[in-house]
Structures are given as C-alpha cells and as structure tokens.
Amino acid sequence: MRRRLLFLGILLTALSPAPASADWLISPFLGLKFGGEGCPCPNDPLGALVDPEGAAGLRKFTFGGSFGLLTPGLLGVEIDFAHVPGYFNNEAADNTIESSSVMTLMGDVLIAVPEAISRDGLRPFLVGGLGWMRVSRKGLAQISIVDPTVNRLAMNIGGGAIGRISNRSSLRFELRQFRDLGTPETDLALSYWRLTIGITLRY
C-alpha cells in the first residue's frame, strides 16, 4: 500500500505543470504622439525647447520598442526607446524649422495584473519610470534661429494591456505621458502623450 501511494505521489509530481517563470519580452511598436506642450522657457539662454511653429500640440507619428522582464505576478521591468520625428514641424505654419525630433530612453517598472487572475485574457498593467530625453531642432539655412540639441532628465507614466495571441506572441496597447523634468537654471516644460500598439514576443 505504501509503495502504491509513493508511486502515485511521484507520478502526480511528474505530471504536474512546472511553476511559471518570468518571461523576457521584446515589444516593437508604432503610434501617435499628441497633446504636447511647447515651452516658453524665458530663462533658457539657448531657447532650446521654444516652439516657433506651434507644432507641439499636433499629432505626430512615433515608433520604437521595449525590452524587459515580466513575472507571472505583479512586477516587471523594462527599457523603452522611442523616436518622434518632426516634433517642432508644422506644415500649416511658416516654415522656420528644417527638422526636429524628440527621442526618449526610459527605465521603467511595470505593475501588472497577475496571470493567475488574467489567465489567457487581457492583462492590464501600469508603467512608470525615469530616463533620458533628447530634443533636437534645426532651422532653415536662411532663418537665423538657434539650433540646439539638448539632453534632459525625464519621466514617463501610463498604462495599457497585453492580450495573448499565442504562447509566444501578444498584442500590446499602451498610453503614456512623457515630461521633461528640466534643470534648476531653466523653466523647461516639454511634455506630451504617446498612444501605441505593438506586438510583444515572449522568450
């Protein structure tokens, strides 16, 4: 009898699923930047973030990707990179800007609904962190304006959901706000929203 119980215990242990482990996630995405704010920056000697064409609030195409680690429980971490071309360009205004862009590189913490609750459905999450924002602007040759490229500490916060398609892929929807934290010497206040959709690959 004892041998049978021991054999049954070993068999059940062998057939039971292994505990879930954290997944490495690669998530390329496309999206829109909107709701941006320009910067009066009266104390900024370079006028680095001044918006001469009133383009900061316009919708702009953005793209990028993230790489991170997400556990089956609450927590995850990731690095997020994104590029917004033409941030200060406005086709409907007088053309004073030849090219401009905003790039961000963020280190983030994710707080997600545990897989034990979401199972195979949508898995909502919150995300936020700090990182680097690079703002670049170049005026037309015949226009005399400063052409600075500035690097600033910035933050981002938002949320979204991941919906599984297969064991290795998911759709990811996300909304975040990005904000330049500025420096003591300036009144920088560049901020905008980013709405994205992408594919998440799990490893």
Side-chain angles (χ1 to χ4, degrees):
M1 184 66 178
R2 290 181 180 177
R3 290 183 179 179
R4 290 181 180 179
L5 290 176
L6 178 61
F7 176 77
L8 182 60
I10 295 173
L11 181 62
L12 290 174
T13 302
L15 293 178
S16 63
S21 59
D23 291 320
W24 291 101
L25 306 181
I26 299 176
S27 306
F29 58 76
L30 300 172
L32 287 176
K33 162 262 168 189
F34 66 96
E37 296 179 2
C39 177
C41 306
N43 298 326
D44 183 0
L46 294 180
L49 303 183
V50 172
D51 183 17
E53 296 185 0
L58 300 178
R59 295 172 183 167
K60 297 287 183 175
F61 170 73
T62 182
F63 62 92
S66 63
F67 174 73
L69 184 68
L70 183 60
T71 69
L74 285 171
L75 296 178
V77 293
E78 73 173 12
I79 296 174
D80 178 277
F81 170 80
H83 179 60
V84 183
Y87 188 95
F88 292 109
N89 292 84
N90 184 356
E91 299 297 331
D94 295 333
N95 292 326
T96 58
I97 302 298
E98 179 181 347
S99 62
S100 62
S101 67
V102 173
M103 288 192 293
T104 54
L105 181 65
M106 298 285 160
D108 296 310
V109 174
L110 289 88
I111 302 176
V113 172
E115 286 187 347
I117 298 175
S118 64
R119 299 188 181 275
D120 292 330
L122 284 176
R123 189 179 182 189
F125 63 88
L126 299 174
V127 62
L130 299 173
W132 165 75
M133 177 182 286
R134 180 181 185 271
V135 182
S136 179
R137 192 187 68 191
K138 182 179 180 181
L140 295 174
Q142 66 271 26
I143 304 295
S144 178
I145 66 170
V146 178
D147 297 334
T149 295
V150 295
N151 298 282
R152 295 287 188 251
L153 178 66
M155 62 166 286
N156 72 128
I157 188 169
I162 300 174
R164 183 169 294 191
I165 302 173
S166 67
N167 288 335
R168 292 297 180 187
S169 62
S170 303
L171 278 177
R172 177 169 172 167
F173 310 88
E174 196 177 272
L175 176 66
R176 301 194 195 197
Q177 186 187 40
F178 290 77
R179 179 171 292 274
D180 171 20
L181 296 180
T183 66
E185 296 80 20
T186 65
D187 292 333
L188 304 180
L190 187 146
S191 68
Y192 60 91
W193 291 87
R194 189 186 79 187
L195 178 64
T196 60
I197 181 172
I199 294 291
T200 293
L201 305 177
R202 308 163 67 98
Y203 294 93

PDB file of all heavy atoms in Angstrom, residues 25 27 29 38 43 62 72 79 102 121 131 150 157-158 161 182 194 199:
ATOM      1  N   LEU A  25      10.535  39.890 -22.679  1.00  0.00           N
ATOM      2  CA  LEU A  25       9.607  40.459 -23.654  1.00  0.00           C
ATOM      3  C   LEU A  25      10.329  41.437 -24.578  1.00  0.00           C
ATOM      4  O   LEU A  25      11.063  42.310 -24.123  1.00  0.00           O
ATOM      5  CB  LEU A  25       8.463  41.197 -22.952  1.00  0.00           C
ATOM      6  CG  LEU A  25       7.658  40.424 -21.913  1.00  0.00           C
ATOM      7  CD1 LEU A  25       6.556  41.309 -21.347  1.00  0.00           C
ATOM      8  CD2 LEU A  25       7.068  39.149 -22.497  1.00  0.00           C
ATOM      9  N   SER A  27       9.139  44.141 -27.517  1.00  0.00           N
ATOM     10  CA  SER A  27       7.881  44.754 -27.959  1.00  0.00           C
ATOM     11  C   SER A  27       8.120  45.938 -28.890  1.00  0.00           C
ATOM     12  O   SER A  27       8.172  47.092 -28.445  1.00  0.00           O
ATOM     13  CB  SER A  27       7.057  45.216 -26.745  1.00  0.00           C
ATOM     14  OG  SER A  27       6.855  44.176 -25.827  1.00  0.00           O
ATOM     15  N   PHE A  29       6.816  48.796 -31.485  1.00  0.00           N
ATOM     16  CA  PHE A  29       5.509  49.437 -31.534  1.00  0.00           C
ATOM     17  C   PHE A  29       5.497  50.608 -32.509  1.00  0.00           C
ATOM     18  O   PHE A  29       6.528  51.162 -32.876  1.00  0.00           O
ATOM     19  CB  PHE A  29       5.081  49.922 -30.144  1.00  0.00           C
ATOM     20  CG  PHE A  29       6.037  50.893 -29.491  1.00  0.00           C
ATOM     21  CD1 PHE A  29       6.091  52.227 -29.887  1.00  0.00           C
ATOM     22  CD2 PHE A  29       6.873  50.474 -28.479  1.00  0.00           C
ATOM     23  CE1 PHE A  29       6.967  53.122 -29.288  1.00  0.00           C
ATOM     24  CE2 PHE A  29       7.751  51.365 -27.867  1.00  0.00           C
ATOM     25  CZ  PHE A  29       7.799  52.681 -28.272  1.00  0.00           C
ATOM     26  N   GLY A  38       4.344  73.185 -25.740  1.00  0.00           N
ATOM     27  CA  GLY A  38       5.568  73.888 -26.062  1.00  0.00           C
ATOM     28  C   GLY A  38       6.207  74.431 -24.808  1.00  0.00           C
ATOM     29  O   GLY A  38       5.742  74.186 -23.690  1.00  0.00           O
ATOM     30  N   ASN A  43      13.930  81.563 -19.160  1.00  0.00           N
ATOM     31  CA  ASN A  43      15.268  81.534 -18.576  1.00  0.00           C
ATOM     32  C   ASN A  43      16.213  80.577 -19.293  1.00  0.00           C
ATOM     33  O   ASN A  43      17.288  80.280 -18.790  1.00  0.00           O
ATOM     34  CB  ASN A  43      15.187  81.131 -17.093  1.00  0.00           C
ATOM     35  CG  ASN A  43      14.385  82.132 -16.288  1.00  0.00           C
ATOM     36  OD1 ASN A  43      14.421  83.316 -16.572  1.00  0.00           O
ATOM     37  ND2 ASN A  43      13.659  81.649 -15.296  1.00  0.00           N
ATOM     38  N   THR A  62       5.068  58.174 -34.197  1.00  0.00           N
ATOM     39  CA  THR A  62       6.182  57.769 -33.345  1.00  0.00           C
ATOM     40  C   THR A  62       6.386  56.267 -33.461  1.00  0.00           C
ATOM     41  O   THR A  62       5.459  55.520 -33.782  1.00  0.00           O
ATOM     42  CB  THR A  62       5.932  58.158 -31.870  1.00  0.00           C
ATOM     43  OG1 THR A  62       7.059  57.791 -31.082  1.00  0.00           O
ATOM     44  CG2 THR A  62       4.705  57.463 -31.316  1.00  0.00           C
ATOM     45  N   PRO A  72       5.046  36.299 -13.698  1.00  0.00           N
ATOM     46  CA  PRO A  72       3.616  35.956 -13.691  1.00  0.00           C
ATOM     47  C   PRO A  72       2.849  36.690 -12.608  1.00  0.00           C
ATOM     48  O   PRO A  72       1.622  36.701 -12.622  1.00  0.00           O
ATOM     49  CB  PRO A  72       3.634  34.445 -13.416  1.00  0.00           C
ATOM     50  CG  PRO A  72       5.016  33.990 -13.693  1.00  0.00           C
ATOM     51  CD  PRO A  72       5.902  35.153 -13.381  1.00  0.00           C
ATOM     52  N   ILE A  79      13.187  48.426 -20.480  1.00  0.00           N
ATOM     53  CA  ILE A  79      13.815  49.598 -21.077  1.00  0.00           C
ATOM     54  C   ILE A  79      13.000  49.951 -22.314  1.00  0.00           C
ATOM     55  O   ILE A  79      12.722  49.092 -23.160  1.00  0.00           O
ATOM     56  CB  ILE A  79      15.278  49.312 -21.460  1.00  0.00           C
ATOM     57  CG1 ILE A  79      16.099  49.025 -20.205  1.00  0.00           C
ATOM     58  CG2 ILE A  79      15.872  50.484 -22.218  1.00  0.00           C
ATOM     59  CD1 ILE A  79      17.519  48.588 -20.496  1.00  0.00           C
ATOM     60  N   VAL A 102      12.288  64.296 -31.093  1.00  0.00           N
ATOM     61  CA  VAL A 102      12.419  64.007 -29.670  1.00  0.00           C
ATOM     62  C   VAL A 102      12.646  62.504 -29.541  1.00  0.00           C
ATOM     63  O   VAL A 102      11.884  61.705 -30.091  1.00  0.00           O
ATOM     64  CB  VAL A 102      11.170  64.426 -28.878  1.00  0.00           C
ATOM     65  CG1 VAL A 102      11.266  63.943 -27.430  1.00  0.00           C
ATOM     66  CG2 VAL A 102      10.998  65.934 -28.907  1.00  0.00           C
ATOM     67  N   GLY A 121      -6.758  36.047 -20.891  1.00  0.00           N
ATOM     68  CA  GLY A 121      -7.416  37.267 -21.344  1.00  0.00           C
ATOM     69  C   GLY A 121      -6.462  38.447 -21.336  1.00  0.00           C
ATOM     70  O   GLY A 121      -5.241  38.306 -21.246  1.00  0.00           O
ATOM     71  N   GLY A 131      14.277  58.508 -17.147  1.00  0.00           N
ATOM     72  CA  GLY A 131      15.255  58.255 -18.186  1.00  0.00           C
ATOM     73  C   GLY A 131      15.740  59.517 -18.865  1.00  0.00           C
ATOM     74  O   GLY A 131      15.769  60.596 -18.260  1.00  0.00           O
ATOM     75  N   VAL A 150      19.536  69.234 -26.998  1.00  0.00           N
ATOM     76  CA  VAL A 150      19.649  69.204 -25.547  1.00  0.00           C
ATOM     77  C   VAL A 150      19.281  67.825 -25.023  1.00  0.00           C
ATOM     78  O   VAL A 150      18.470  67.101 -25.607  1.00  0.00           O
ATOM     79  CB  VAL A 150      18.743  70.271 -24.888  1.00  0.00           C
ATOM     80  CG1 VAL A 150      19.194  71.657 -25.253  1.00  0.00           C
ATOM     81  CG2 VAL A 150      17.288  70.051 -25.265  1.00  0.00           C
ATOM     82  N   ILE A 157       4.848  58.004 -17.358  1.00  0.00           N
ATOM     83  CA  ILE A 157       3.894  57.242 -16.566  1.00  0.00           C
ATOM     84  C   ILE A 157       2.688  56.938 -17.429  1.00  0.00           C
ATOM     85  O   ILE A 157       2.308  57.737 -18.291  1.00  0.00           O
ATOM     86  CB  ILE A 157       3.485  58.015 -15.288  1.00  0.00           C
ATOM     87  CG1 ILE A 157       2.647  57.135 -14.369  1.00  0.00           C
ATOM     88  CG2 ILE A 157       2.761  59.311 -15.630  1.00  0.00           C
ATOM     89  CD1 ILE A 157       2.435  57.726 -12.993  1.00  0.00           C
ATOM     90  N   GLY A 158       2.101  55.767 -17.245  1.00  0.00           N
ATOM     91  CA  GLY A 158       0.945  55.403 -18.048  1.00  0.00           C
ATOM     92  C   GLY A 158       0.457  54.006 -17.735  1.00  0.00           C
ATOM     93  O   GLY A 158       0.663  53.484 -16.639  1.00  0.00           O
ATOM     94  N   ALA A 161      -2.466  47.313 -21.718  1.00  0.00           N
ATOM     95  CA  ALA A 161      -2.880  45.927 -21.557  1.00  0.00           C
ATOM     96  C   ALA A 161      -2.168  45.074 -22.596  1.00  0.00           C
ATOM     97  O   ALA A 161      -1.852  45.533 -23.690  1.00  0.00           O
ATOM     98  CB  ALA A 161      -4.389  45.781 -21.694  1.00  0.00           C
ATOM     99  N   GLY A 182      13.440  69.101 -16.538  1.00  0.00           N
ATOM    100  CA  GLY A 182      14.103  70.394 -16.521  1.00  0.00           C
ATOM    101  C   GLY A 182      15.369  70.424 -15.683  1.00  0.00           C
ATOM    102  O   GLY A 182      15.872  69.415 -15.212  1.00  0.00           O
ATOM    103  N   ARG A 194       1.696  59.689 -25.522  1.00  0.00           N
ATOM    104  CA  ARG A 194       2.033  58.720 -26.565  1.00  0.00           C
ATOM    105  C   ARG A 194       1.063  57.543 -26.502  1.00  0.00           C
ATOM    106  O   ARG A 194       0.917  56.895 -25.467  1.00  0.00           O
ATOM    107  CB  ARG A 194       3.462  58.202 -26.366  1.00  0.00           C
ATOM    108  CG  ARG A 194       3.978  57.353 -27.519  1.00  0.00           C
ATOM    109  CD  ARG A 194       5.329  56.749 -27.182  1.00  0.00           C
ATOM    110  NE  ARG A 194       5.191  55.569 -26.319  1.00  0.00           N
ATOM    111  CZ  ARG A 194       6.224  54.927 -25.764  1.00  0.00           C
ATOM    112  NH1 ARG A 194       7.446  55.374 -25.941  1.00  0.00           N
ATOM    113  NH2 ARG A 194       6.021  53.854 -25.022  1.00  0.00           N
ATOM    114  N   ILE A 199       3.423  44.485 -31.150  1.00  0.00           N
ATOM    115  CA  ILE A 199       3.473  43.038 -30.946  1.00  0.00           C
ATOM    116  C   ILE A 199       4.514  42.760 -29.856  1.00  0.00           C
ATOM    117  O   ILE A 199       5.626  43.291 -29.884  1.00  0.00           O
ATOM    118  CB  ILE A 199       3.877  42.318 -32.250  1.00  0.00           C
ATOM    119  CG1 ILE A 199       2.792  42.505 -33.307  1.00  0.00           C
ATOM    120  CG2 ILE A 199       4.120  40.844 -31.979  1.00  0.00           C
ATOM    121  CD1 ILE A 199       1.512  41.784 -32.997  1.00  0.00           C
TER     122      ILE A 199
END
